[in-house]
Amino acid sequence: MNEITCECGHVNPEGTVLCESCGKPVEDNQHLNGNENQTLLNMRYDGSARRSQTYNRTFIDKVWNFFSSVKVGVWLIVITLIASAIGTLLPQEMYIPPGSDASTHYRDQYGLIGQIYYQLGFHNLFSSWWYMLLLALIGISIIIASLDRFIPLYKTLKTQKPKRHDQFMKKQRIFGKTESDSIDMHLMKENLKKNRYKVTEEDGSLFAEKNRFSRWGPYVNHIGLIVFLLGTLLRFVPALYVDEFVWVREGETKMITGTEGQYYIKNEDFILENYDENDERFQEAIMRNGQPVPKTYQTNAVIYERTDDIVVGKDPELKEVKEAEARVNHPIKFENYTLYQASYQQNEFNEMTFKLHDMDDEDSSYGEFTIDLDDPETEYELDSGHVVVLGSYFPEYELDDGEPVSVSKYPRNPAFVFNVYPPGESDGEPEVSFAGIGANVDGSGENEFKVGLVDFDVRDVTGLTVRKDYTLPFIALGGAIFMIGVIQGMYWNHRRIWVKPKDNGVWIAGHTNKNWVALKREIEKSTKGTGIETPVDQQELKD
């Protein structure tokens, strides 16, 4: 690294624009901060040597220089914003109907656009690896860009000296000369202190400064953003964040997803209340909706905690934790989890009862059997000795290119393929029939027996969102730190005044990061009665 020795004797690092000691511009480096061919100094980072302007030899240097660029950071943010916007055009996978197959849902609902959306991974955008990578790259860019500017600026501001080079003084925006032998420097110093400036003196030269802390506002913003990004990334750590969904049928006890088998919930009862269709206030909305409009719905539930070790195939030993109701905007809270009432499904089939009778005589009967749609048996033996074997089960039956398929695992439109064996002929060829809601098809057209629907039982199903969030303190802290940085940089200005005695009088210069009018006004107040003439704004004169 080439060092730069100023005429004042101070040795500056390569890349320095203004001498760290006297402030004299380094001619060879004026292009770095935009000072080239400028009448006034560009005081960005006080002319300090930044690493990105000094090193460019190794691979690490090139990576550092790449991420220290503000343009790179802005482009990363723009790309992330565009990706986030695209991710909101269609519902994320977590919001599509439960049990739906994402690979077919987006194609069926949104056509070619939906298929492209799914193939590109936008259906799970906010948990995708490349979206996480974008957030991480933004964080890296913020950290490197901040360190590249903060450290040299801090060192420069910490070692400021009252005595400044003439070129430094003359090229400040606020500058003035006073030729007089009756200048009261002591009064000038006292006036600056009255205006809350911290004043230092060296060989008769004065340096007054206040509100330096405001210069760190942008870097405090960056710290807040980094903490905020860290909080969002921590949401992908299962121990810190859970956002799951669980369907629980009435009377069912089910493990709460996301709790690692520790907690269970029992749906004691689901209650749905609709708006009164006879009430004139709601008739128009109900007619427009085409169906009853829910007023409120809730789940009466019991929360259990497992007390034994998890063993595959073993029924859990449960201890009741609490009994509560989950309503919209009134969740159930236990331990560090929250259950929100999110959805429901009415009249889901629970059990279906069939009877076997002669093909041409529905009044005949060889026996009945009941299928538990949550856990169907594979074989049912009737009193007559006939055996009905469940060949195929389609919980939510649809035809796809003429073939029966199930679009979900939930029994909303169940259909079955039955193999019927006469008594004592379980090794022979069975009769095959297809039965469902409103459908009963003879597989061969020559069946002797028919499986007919006798009765069915339905139940309501509640949908609950399971949440656990330890990342909110990080996100809230990041937001608070960011706002502190905004206030810090917005409501205070870093102001500096240099007063340098000359043989025939005194020179005065001033600089601020914003609000030049206020700085000039303070200089006027500070020079009152001292014999020092008020400096002028050279930028205004130039304009």
Side-chain angles (χ1 to χ4, degrees):
M1 183 178 70
N2 298 322
E3 295 179 332
I4 303 168
T5 303
C6 181
E7 65 181 34
C8 68
H10 182 77
V11 179
N12 297 284
E14 181 182 352
T16 302
V17 178
L18 303 175
C19 176
E20 296 173 337
S21 179
C22 68
K24 179 186 176 182
V26 178
E27 297 299 333
D28 294 340
N29 293 334
Q30 290 308 292
H31 64 285
L32 295 179
N33 276 354
N35 286 318
E36 190 174 19
N37 300 322
Q38 296 294 317
T39 304
L40 304 179
L41 287 178
N42 183 340
M43 293 285 286
R44 179 184 292 182
Y45 316 119
D46 271 46
S48 54
R50 289 159 49 201
R51 191 185 192 282
S52 60
Q53 297 175 340
T54 306
Y55 299 92
N56 193 24
R57 297 179 179 85
T58 67
F59 174 75
I60 295 177
D61 295 337
K62 295 183 185 300
V63 172
W64 180 279
N65 296 346
F66 176 79
F67 283 107
S68 67
S69 170
V70 174
K71 291 182 180 179
V72 170
V74 170
W75 272 111
L76 286 172
I77 293 173
V78 168
I79 293 171
T80 304
L81 289 175
I82 293 174
S84 301
I86 295 174
T88 62
L89 294 179
L90 299 179
Q92 291 289 290
E93 184 178 6
M94 67 180 73
Y95 299 116
I96 68 176
S100 300
D101 186 354
S103 62
T104 57
H105 173 81
Y106 287 94
R107 180 194 63 202
D108 296 341
Q109 294 295 319
Y110 308 105
L112 179 61
I113 293 176
Q115 187 171 0
I116 295 173
Y117 192 85
Y118 173 79
Q119 293 294 335
L120 293 178
F122 283 102
H123 66 296
N124 265 329
L125 171 69
F126 303 105
S127 59
S128 63
W129 67 268
W130 61 269
Y131 190 83
M132 292 299 98
L133 180 62
L134 279 175
L135 294 181
L137 291 177
I138 290 174
I140 292 171
S141 177
I142 291 173
I143 292 172
I144 291 180
S146 299
L147 292 176
D148 187 63
R149 292 158 175 79
F150 173 81
I151 294 175
L153 178 61
Y154 174 78
K155 290 180 178 178
T156 300
L157 294 180
K158 187 178 181 180
T159 58
Q160 295 178 99
K161 293 185 178 181
K163 291 183 67 174
R164 287 291 180 170
H165 195 275
D166 286 355
Q167 289 189 44
F168 177 87
M169 300 286 288
K170 288 190 294 184
K171 286 194 171 188
Q172 292 298 323
R173 176 170 171 173
I174 302 294
F175 176 70
K177 297 180 181 180
T178 301
E179 295 183 359
S180 173
D181 295 330
S182 57
I183 294 175
D184 191 343
M185 293 291 285
H186 178 73
L187 179 58
M188 179 68 181
K189 184 176 180 179
E190 293 302 315
N191 287 344
L192 289 169
K193 288 182 178 180
K194 287 179 182 178
N195 285 315
R196 301 189 302 278
Y197 280 87
K198 179 183 178 181
V199 182
T200 55
E201 186 174 0
E202 181 183 5
D203 297 336
S205 295
L206 300 180
F207 170 55
E209 180 185 33
K210 73 174 181 180
N211 299 337
R212 185 195 297 180
F213 70 92
S214 69
R215 293 290 292 274
W216 315 132
Y219 304 103
V220 174
N221 292 151
H222 292 175
I223 293 173
L225 286 174
I226 292 168
V227 174
F228 187 90
L229 286 174
L230 178 63
T232 59
L233 291 174
L234 287 176
R235 289 194 163 201
F236 296 92
V237 179
L240 298 178
Y241 184 76
V242 172
D243 186 2
E244 299 287 350
F245 199 90
V246 59
W247 288 97
V248 191
R249 288 150 183 81
E250 284 182 315
E252 180 184 26
T253 300
K254 192 171 185 179
M255 183 185 72
I256 302 175
T257 54
T259 65
E260 299 180 351
Q262 184 180 4
Y263 292 98
Y264 286 71
I265 180 173
K266 181 179 181 181
N267 182 356
E268 294 278 5
D269 188 23
F270 178 79
I271 302 171
L272 173 66
E273 181 182 352
N274 294 322
Y275 284 101
D276 186 0
E277 59 184 14
N278 296 319
D279 193 323
E280 294 181 357
R281 295 174 298 173
F282 310 124
Q283 283 181 350
E284 183 179 349
I286 294 173
M287 291 179 61
R288 187 167 55 248
N289 193 55
Q291 58 185 352
V293 177
K295 182 178 182 180
T296 183
Y297 48 95
Q298 76 175 49
T299 303
N300 296 338
V302 179
I303 307 298
Y304 296 96
E305 182 178 7
R306 185 166 190 162
T307 58
D308 61 330
D309 295 332
I310 298 176
V311 178
V312 178
K314 178 186 176 184
D315 291 334
E317 297 177 9
L318 303 178
K319 177 185 70 174
E320 183 175 329
V321 174
K322 70 182 301 184
E323 187 174 343
E325 299 82 32
R327 301 187 303 278
V328 177
N329 298 325
H330 292 83
I332 298 174
K333 296 183 179 180
F334 62 98
E335 296 301 321
N336 298 310
Y337 296 93
T338 306
L339 297 179
Y340 295 91
Q341 183 68 65
S343 185
Y344 64 90
Q345 177 75 43
Q346 281 194 297
N347 301 324
E348 181 181 278
F349 290 98
N350 180 24
E351 294 180 340
M352 299 184 77
T353 301
F354 295 87
K355 77 171 182 177
L356 184 66
H357 59 83
D358 292 325
M359 177 64 72
D360 300 325
D361 184 6
E362 293 188 1
D363 293 331
S364 63
S365 176
Y366 294 98
E368 296 183 357
F369 61 97
T370 299
I371 299 178
D372 181 351
L373 299 181
D374 285 338
D375 186 21
E377 298 178 15
T378 58
E379 185 176 300
Y380 299 88
E381 186 172 352
L382 308 184
D383 295 339
S384 61
H386 291 76
V387 176
V388 179
V389 176
L390 184 59
S392 297
Y393 169 41
F394 307 96
E396 190 170 1
Y397 159 74
E398 279 189 7
L399 281 176
D400 185 10
D401 293 332
E403 294 292 328
V405 296
S406 182
V407 296
S408 80
K409 61 182 180 180
Y410 302 107
R412 294 167 183 156
N413 183 29
F416 312 86
V417 174
F418 293 116
N419 296 322
V420 180
Y421 294 90
E425 298 183 17
S426 58
D427 295 333
E429 286 293 324
E431 292 186 358
V432 179
S433 61
F434 178 86
I437 304 298
N440 199 310
V441 181
D442 180 350
S444 64
E446 300 179 354
N447 284 353
E448 179 183 351
F449 305 106
K450 183 177 181 179
V451 180
L453 179 63
V454 176
D455 195 9
F456 60 85
D457 184 27
V458 296
R459 60 186 173 182
D460 295 333
V461 186
T462 186
L464 302 168
T465 298
V466 185
R467 290 269 174 83
K468 178 179 76 170
D469 196 349
Y470 286 133
T471 67
L472 281 178
F474 290 92
I475 294 174
L477 178 62
I481 293 174
F482 182 85
M483 290 307 302
I484 290 172
V486 170
I487 296 171
Q488 183 178 340
M490 182 178 293
Y491 292 100
W492 284 274
N493 319 130
H494 182 211
R495 298 174 184 172
R496 288 175 287 177
I497 301 170
W498 296 271
V499 183
K500 182 176 182 179
K502 303 294 286 185
D503 294 338
N504 57 345
V506 71
W507 287 9
I508 184 170
H511 183 270
T512 182
N513 57 331
K514 58 184 174 181
N515 200 349
W516 293 87
V517 175
L519 173 63
K520 191 175 178 182
R521 190 182 301 122
E522 284 192 342
I523 293 177
E524 280 185 41
K525 291 170 62 178
S526 299
T527 57
K528 190 173 182 179
T530 63
I532 300 176
E533 297 177 6
T534 303
V536 297
D537 188 331
Q538 298 191 90
Q539 184 63 51
E540 288 184 358
L541 293 178
K542 180 181 177 182
D543 295 339

